[in-house]
């Protein structure tokens, strides 16, 4: 029997289970392959005792509609930076990648499919360079990977953010308030931009277009002086003002190396107050609601396409690649290309032009 190990790494995202199910279904069409899941990314393999599970058709029955991941995930540590406690109580890290590769050989693993964001793809590339047979599957609600037209999970997050804008609109109207919605996306403004267009927001602030608070004020004033008497602002967590300041949170979680973004909505409200905004203002941080729950149909389909393609690459022994969507095809790109550059919103892109065309102010 040949074995493929499947794992999900990084922040979760709607559609992960649909990928897992697709891999299992495609593998089960071959007589000699079985699928093993590693619990919480590579941690399942590295832990003693090992935490793995057999993924057969029964284990993945109907999971395509479920949010989260049935095999768990983590965005801390990993085989190259495994956290260890030093004698003085502080935390350090060790490289356990060679030990892990030996353990995978011992477990009879022939190939690995790693489903994850940019951090996971970088780990996959490094493991591939060490001789491991790896295939990558891109996931992130942020849609910030450049080699694929879309990542699954992103459209679901846009849908959730749009529904939030719709809901905020009725309460903003009732109270004649300025309501600010903060959405995720890290350094990319895709979720904010699309939710602002789909939800009919007045202002959209994204990392790619630093905002001038006076321009935002002008737009709010025009909304109050015309007819509506309320305003809706969608702000991406990575948005910066013209002085280039990111709003971040401290994290003391062991092994967590990402910069934690969050709180820009509160700062925006404070800045608007300081700039003389006379209207009542409230902020909402949508947070992890954007990553939870069932994937919409689009993401289930894309995730299923990625899972089938990933397993086919394993069967073809075409390793060192990440599956990607380039309309209308599902292709394979080398990891080196996949991680070379991020996918940011272009200031002059068609979507931004559309936003401007319907009167959205980007703060510039
Ligand atoms: O990358 C996905 C994402 O949801 C970002 O949009 C957000 O900044 C981050 O993950 C939050 O991560 P965590 O799960 O560590 O809170």
């Amino acid at each position: 029997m040949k074995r493929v190990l499947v794992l999900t790494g990084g922040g979760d995202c709607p559609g992960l289970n649909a990928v897992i199910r697709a891999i299992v279904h495609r593998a089960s069409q071959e007589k000699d392959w079985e699928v093993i899941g590693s619990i919480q990314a590579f941690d399942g393999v590295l832990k003693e005792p090992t935490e793995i599970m057999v993924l057969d058709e029964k284990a993945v029955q109907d999971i395509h509609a479920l949010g989260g991941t049935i095999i768990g995930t983590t965005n801390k540590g990993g085989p190259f930076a495994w956290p260890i406690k030093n004698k003085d109580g502080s935390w350090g890290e060790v490289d356990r990648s060679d030990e892990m590769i030996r353990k995978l050989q011992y477990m009879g693993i022939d190939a690995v499919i790693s489903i994850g964001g940019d951090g996971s793809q970088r780990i996959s590339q490094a493991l591939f360079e060490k001789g491991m047979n790896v295939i990558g599957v891109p996931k992130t609600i942020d849609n910030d990977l450049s080699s694929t037209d879309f990542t699954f999970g992103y459209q679901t997050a846009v849908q959730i953010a749009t529904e939030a804008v719709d809901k905020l609109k009725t309460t903003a109207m009732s109270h004649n308030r300025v309501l600010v919605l903060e959405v995720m996306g890290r350094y990319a403004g895709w979720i904010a931009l699309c939710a602002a267009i789909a939800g009919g927001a007045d202002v959209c602030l994204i990392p790619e277009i630093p905002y001038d608070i006076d321009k935002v004020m002008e737009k709010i004033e025009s909304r109050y002086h015309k007819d509506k008497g309320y305003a809706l602002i969608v702000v991406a967590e990575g948005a910066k003002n013209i002085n280039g300041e990111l709003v971040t949170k401290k994290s003391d979680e062991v092994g967590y190396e990402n910069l934690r973004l969050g709180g820009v909505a509160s700062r925006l409200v404070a800045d608007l107050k300081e700039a003389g905004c006379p209207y009542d203002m409230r902020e909402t941080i949508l947070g992890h609601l954007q990553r939870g729950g069932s994937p919409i149909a689009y993401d289930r389909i894309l995730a299923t396409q990625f899972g089938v393609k990933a397993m086919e690459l394993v069967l073809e022994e075409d390793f060192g690649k990440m599956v990607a969507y380039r309309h209308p095809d599902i292709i394979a790109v080398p990891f080196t290309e996949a991680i070379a550059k991020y996918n940011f919103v272009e200031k002059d892109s068609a979507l931004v032009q559309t936003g401007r065309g319907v009167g959205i102010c980007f703060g510039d």
Side-chain angles (χ1 to χ4, degrees):
M1 207 63 172
K2 289 183 169 178
R3 291 196 183 108
V4 57
L5 184 91
V6 175
L7 56 107
T8 48
D12 72 338
C13 131
L16 289 170
N17 285 324
V19 183
I20 296 168
R21 173 177 171 272
I23 293 168
V24 171
H25 278 282
R26 183 62 189 86
S28 70
Q29 290 171 11
E30 308 296 315
K31 282 186 202 69
D32 51 347
W33 278 92
E34 72 174 350
V35 185
I36 309 287
S38 173
I39 306 300
Q40 288 196 304
F42 284 112
D43 290 14
V45 176
L46 285 163
K47 277 183 184 163
E48 285 301 340
T50 309
E51 291 179 10
I52 55 173
M53 70 185 275
V54 174
L55 293 169
D56 55 15
E57 285 179 288
K58 189 158 179 279
V60 301
Q61 195 176 340
D62 297 332
I63 64 167
H64 56 288
L66 278 185
T69 160
I70 61 162
I71 49 177
T73 187
T74 178
N75 53 8
K76 296 182 214 160
F80 292 96
W82 185 262
I84 48 151
K85 201 162 199 171
N86 298 317
K87 279 189 186 136
D88 63 0
S90 64
W91 285 89
E93 54 187 44
V94 285
D95 180 350
R96 293 184 64 193
S97 56
D98 289 331
E99 175 196 342
M100 188 183 76
I101 290 171
R102 278 198 304 277
K103 197 163 172 188
L104 289 174
Q105 282 162 355
Y106 171 74
M107 288 162 65
I109 300 294
D110 299 281
V112 172
I113 298 178
S114 173
I115 311 165
D118 62 316
S120 304
Q121 306 304 332
R122 280 172 215 286
I123 291 174
S124 293
Q125 165 64 13
L127 291 169
F128 177 64
E129 281 169 13
K130 284 182 167 240
M132 211 168 96
N133 294 336
V134 204
I135 297 295
V137 175
K139 70 86 225 173
T140 167
I141 62 163
D142 304 336
N143 199 39
D144 59 356
L145 294 174
S146 67
S147 49
T148 181
D149 288 356
F150 289 114
T151 49
F152 62 86
Y154 161 66
Q155 301 286 2
T156 302
V158 169
Q159 184 67 29
I160 294 167
T162 302
E163 282 164 18
V165 179
D166 290 346
K167 287 184 174 137
L168 289 175
K169 186 168 290 178
T170 57
T171 169
M173 282 168 79
S174 307
H175 285 267
N176 298 109
R177 280 175 170 159
V178 177
L179 290 190
V180 181
L181 176 69
E182 176 177 320
V183 298
M184 284 183 167
R186 294 203 71 73
Y187 308 116
W190 294 108
I191 299 174
L193 174 58
C194 288
I197 293 174
D202 304 296
V203 178
C204 176
L205 305 177
I206 59 175
E208 295 87 343
I209 307 179
Y211 66 87
D212 178 341
I213 200 76
D214 295 332
K215 294 278 165 53
V216 179
M217 264 307 295
E218 270 170 37
K219 179 69 189 184
I220 293 172
E221 286 296 0
S222 80
R223 298 306 288 153
Y224 276 80
H225 287 147
K226 275 189 182 163
D227 47 343
K228 288 202 307 186
Y230 72 92
L232 286 169
I233 301 178
V234 180
V235 59
E237 61 180 0
K240 291 175 279 190
N241 60 25
I242 42 177
N243 300 320
E245 290 164 20
L246 269 177
V247 183
T248 59
K249 285 182 176 156
K250 263 188 116 160
S251 173
D252 52 8
E253 293 168 11
V254 175
Y256 189 90
E257 282 173 2
N258 288 334
L259 193 61
R260 269 194 77 193
L261 300 177
V264 69
S266 307
R267 195 192 58 189
L268 183 66
V269 165
D271 287 352
L272 283 170
K273 215 167 241 162
E274 204 180 300
C277 183
Y279 312 112
D280 290 349
M281 292 182 277
R282 297 286 189 274
E283 67 271 26
T284 301
I285 299 178
L286 199 50
H288 294 80
L289 285 174
Q290 291 158 99
R291 290 197 340 214
S294 187
I296 62 168
Y298 183 94
D299 284 334
R300 294 183 200 185
I301 296 164
L302 186 59
T304 302
Q305 286 184 289
F306 279 178
V308 169
K309 179 72 176 180
M311 189 59 213
E312 282 174 353
L313 291 172
V314 168
L315 298 175
E316 290 159 19
E317 300 186 5
D318 194 3
F319 299 112
K321 293 187 175 160
M322 185 189 86
V323 303
Y325 169 47
R326 298 261 176 89
H327 183 74
D329 300 313
I330 303 295
I331 59 163
V333 292
F335 283 131
T336 40
E337 187 189 320
I339 59 180
K341 119 176 181 324
Y342 285 97
N343 175 31
F344 294 124
V345 175
E346 300 271 346
K347 215 179 154 177
D348 303 318
S349 61
L351 265 179
V352 173
Q353 296 297 345
T354 298
R356 292 192 199 281
V358 291
I360 293 176
C361 162
F362 288 90
D364 61 342

